[in-house]
Amino acid sequence: KAGVTQTPRYLIKTRGQQVTLSCSPISGHRSVSWYQQTPGQGLQFLFEYFSETQRNKGNFPGRFSGRQFSNSRSEMNVSTLELGDSALYLCASSWPLLAGSTDTQYFGPGTRLTVL
Amino acid sequence: GQQLNQSPQSMFIQEGEDVSMNCTSSSIFNTWLWYKQDPGEGPVLLIALYKAGELTSNGRLTAQFGITRKDSFLNISASIPSDVGIYFCAGNYGGSQGNLIFGKGTKLSVKP
């Protein structure tokens, strides 16, 4: 079974631009969560999608948005990039048996975003 | 945002030694998770704990969910070079992935 895939793996953008990252969950998984990882703040939750609906959202500005498609693939978008958005963006998929349960999350390798 | 207090921040040990790391929180958690992250990779789930007092093993790894539900520890016995990496604890108090809070990690280095 293929793991979680994320594209692209590396990305360089300049301030003010926007970026779209993609995540393909493990086949059959319906929940996709996104995290931002930085040396200073560590791993922080961005949002979770389940069956094409955003189910939970972390404490990030509205410049960060996402969506999920009917095949469970997910994208996240960051508009008006700032230097502080440079980070490793990770997505994780799971197939929660119960709504709201913390089932095993499988992480992808991440997308390394650098904002210049 | 809220974070867990994970310690130590880093450890340098000799191959064969045992390792212990822990996480504490001011909030009560319903779930504790332990992950390991290798360079250039995403975190891999090692152990999940769902009940206060629960002690779970995964090979040479053992983790416990504290009785107070505000702490957890992870032990690695007889460390080997491939144990090198960053270990993260994560807690969940709201019953949904939206409330998954991560520690800042313990960087483990093993000298052969």
Side-chain angles (χ1 to χ4, degrees):
Chain A
K1 196 184 244 190
V4 177
T5 58
Q6 292 186 246
T7 56
R9 290 293 307 273
Y10 302 91
L11 205 49
I12 299 175
K13 292 284 188 179
T14 56
R15 278 181 298 175
Q17 287 186 309
Q18 74 163 21
V19 66
T20 299
L21 312 181
S22 180
C23 172
S24 292
I26 291 171
S27 177
H29 284 191
R30 295 169 62 192
S31 171
V32 174
S33 296
W34 287 89
Y35 296 84
Q36 182 194 65
Q37 186 175 30
T38 60
Q41 296 299 317
L43 267 157
Q44 293 191 294
F45 173 78
L46 280 157
F47 28 65
E48 181 212 359
Y49 286 87
F50 179 80
S51 293
E52 301 179 65
T53 302
Q54 186 181 88
R55 192 160 65 172
N56 288 294
K57 190 176 190 305
N59 189 27
F60 277 81
R63 300 185 296 107
F64 293 81
S65 63
R67 58 177 175 168
Q68 186 179 35
F69 302 95
S70 58
N71 61 357
S72 294
R73 189 176 71 85
S74 177
E75 289 181 347
M76 69 163 280
N77 185 76
V78 187
S79 63
T80 318
L81 284 166
E82 300 176 1
L83 295 179
D85 296 333
S86 294
L88 181 67
Y89 290 89
L90 293 158
C91 87
S93 78
S94 66
W95 187 65
L97 297 176
L98 298 172
S101 67
T102 304
D103 292 284
T104 302
Q105 292 189 56
Y106 296 87
F107 281 83
T111 294
R112 173 75 62 187
L113 172 65
T114 301
V115 182
L116 303 176
Chain B
Q2 182 181 350
Q3 285 190 320
L4 302 175
N5 295 315
Q6 184 172 352
S7 64
Q9 283 188 321
S10 62
M11 303 182 73
F12 296 86
I13 62 168
Q14 203 75 36
E15 183 178 356
E17 289 183 350
D18 296 344
V19 172
S20 185
M21 58 191 79
N22 68 83
C23 275
T24 59
S25 168
S26 56
S27 303
I28 291 175
F29 282 166
N30 293 327
T31 303
W32 282 95
L33 307 170
W34 285 92
Y35 288 87
K36 181 189 178 213
Q37 187 174 23
D38 294 324
E41 301 292 330
V44 174
L45 182 67
L46 300 173
I47 294 179
L49 303 160
Y50 300 105
K51 286 192 290 192
E54 181 181 354
L55 185 72
T56 298
S57 292
N58 178 7
R60 294 178 296 104
L61 278 61
T62 302
Q64 184 161 28
F65 192 141
I67 292 291
T68 64
R69 295 168 63 192
K70 292 184 178 182
D71 62 342
S72 177
F73 72 75
L74 174 71
N75 285 342
I76 305 173
S77 63
S79 58
I80 58 179
S82 62
D83 290 335
V84 164
I86 302 178
Y87 292 79
F88 292 97
C89 62
N92 177 299
Y93 56 79
S96 74
Q97 293 183 14
N99 292 322
L100 197 59
I101 310 297
F102 280 84
K104 287 207 170 183
T106 295
K107 186 176 181 180
L108 179 63
S109 301
V110 179
K111 291 178 277 188

